[in-house]
Amino acid sequence: MNKITTAELARALKATLHGDESLELKDVAKIEEAGPDDVTFVANPAYMKHLATTHAGAVILKEVPNEPHKFTCIVSDDPYRAFLSALQLFHPPADLPAPGIDPTAVVADSASVDDSAYIGPHCVVEDDAVIGPGTRLRAHVTIGFKAVVGAECLFHNRVVVRERCRIGDRVIVQDGAVIGSDGFGFAPGEEAYMKIPQVGIVVLEDDVEIGANTTIDRATLGETRVCKGAKIDNLVQIAHNVIVGENTVIAAQTGIAGSSKLGKWVMLGGQVGISGHIRLGDGVKVAAQSGIPSDVKDNVILGGYPAVPIRKWHRISAAMNRLPDLLKRVKRLEDKQG
């Protein structure tokens, strides 16, 4: 782990130092848990109260506090972003494996693997698949028939990219995710359900990140597409023919039904449910555990089930908490009249 002086850290963060320039810092920590050789930060005013009791050697904040303090101040216009940069300094990414193909990997003769790529233990790269420059596949990754993976991607253990799917550049896929599983398509017959062939693909554009054990279904026809810069958390289900817009973020356990379209810069909290064949406009934000049954215009903030404008949802939630008392009052009024 790197040791960094407060002076070096302030220079790296392009911040202003107030205090001990030679103090050696060993790590980053939460403000309640930081010790004398840790750096922490305050970006939320709710945490200012901890400045009086923190044992941190240095604190990244927006301005020097008026109250007496023992820590060194590193003043930044954006303490949160500065702290993220500090995290990267103290915990740089682990070294990636050197290019090459592990002896236990199975790579088809017709596959194209760039010389600068790495194929890890027990990976499978099927016929006519393409692996781009600098891409790293960790253990037990499967790349299907005619699938294309771009440059500088990182796929963690047990990722599956099914046949003919296309992955852009600098895509990160966490452990156990499945890209291109069959869409959930069945037609009722007289005696049983008939499987509808899922012959489309999934496209992940550049700079997308997919969380652990997330599943993205291939289209029935055409494409399921996750546009550039989108970030998807763990355990998310994206159904066939869904479009996820640029720079959209989706939190864990969200489910998006087939053929729905999400605009740019959409934010979905955890466990949100999106009905099929609907459109969410650009900039829409949805609170956790909400259900979206119909189209939503641009820049709307929603919450609840079914979702309504967030302020209305707050009023509904407050009223629900009062229902037991209101019912008692109604019962007393009824008794008096009876």
Side-chain angles (χ1 to χ4, degrees), residues 2-15 17 20-25 74 89-90:
N2 298 334
K3 289 184 180 180
I4 303 175
T5 67
T6 48
E8 291 168 339
L9 181 59
R11 282 196 295 271
L13 302 180
K14 298 180 180 179
L17 184 68
D20 186 352
E21 297 184 355
S22 61
L23 176 64
E24 284 194 339
L25 301 171
I74 299 174
L89 289 171
F90 284 96

Side-chain angles (χ1 to χ4, degrees), residues 281-328:
D282 296 342
V284 169
K285 298 177 182 178
V286 183
Q289 296 188 322
S290 298
I292 310 296
S294 57
D295 290 354
V296 180
K297 296 179 180 178
D298 293 350
N299 300 313
V300 174
I301 304 176
L302 300 173
Y305 192 89
V308 295
I310 194 69
R311 290 184 179 179
K312 183 176 181 180
W313 174 243
H314 289 161
R315 293 196 300 270
I316 291 171
S317 298
M320 289 176 65
N321 289 332
R322 296 168 55 198
L323 280 178
D325 290 337
L326 290 172
L327 289 172
K328 288 178 182 178

Side-chain angles (χ1 to χ4, degrees), residues 79-242:
Y80 183 67
R81 286 186 178 274
F83 186 71
L84 295 182
S85 297
L87 274 173
Q88 294 173 342
L89 289 171
F90 284 96
H91 297 274
D95 291 335
L96 294 174
I101 299 175
D102 189 271
T104 63
V106 178
V107 179
D109 291 340
S110 60
S112 174
V113 178
D114 191 271
D115 290 341
S116 62
Y118 168 75
I119 311 298
H122 303 287
C123 288
V124 176
V125 182
E126 296 184 355
D127 287 330
D128 299 320
V130 176
I131 308 297
T135 283
R136 302 290 190 267
L137 309 184
R138 295 200 181 272
H140 295 276
V141 173
T142 298
I143 307 297
F145 170 69
K146 286 189 176 181
V148 176
V149 180
E152 304 296 333
C153 294
L154 175 60
F155 292 179
H156 290 277
N157 300 337
R158 298 175 288 102
V159 166
V160 175
V161 178
R162 289 273 300 272
E163 61 274 14
R164 297 180 291 105
C165 292
R166 302 201 306 269
I167 313 295
D169 298 337
R170 301 174 301 279
V171 172
I172 298 174
V173 184
Q174 301 291 339
D175 303 66
V178 179
I179 312 301
S181 47
D182 282 1
F184 191 64
F186 298 91
E190 292 183 0
E191 297 182 359
Y193 283 95
M194 299 174 58
K195 184 175 177 63
I196 300 171
Q198 305 293 297
V199 299
I201 62 171
V202 171
V203 177
L204 304 184
E205 296 184 0
D206 297 346
D207 301 301
V208 164
E209 182 159 351
I210 306 297
N213 293 323
T214 280
T215 54
I216 305 178
D217 289 350
R218 67 196 310 109
T220 306
L221 297 169
E223 299 174 351
T224 302
R225 180 175 288 265
V226 179
C227 297
K228 66 181 182 180
K231 312 299 182 186
I232 298 173
D233 199 0
N234 305 332
L235 296 168
V236 171
Q237 158 64 12
I238 297 177
H240 56 81
N241 294 93
V242 166

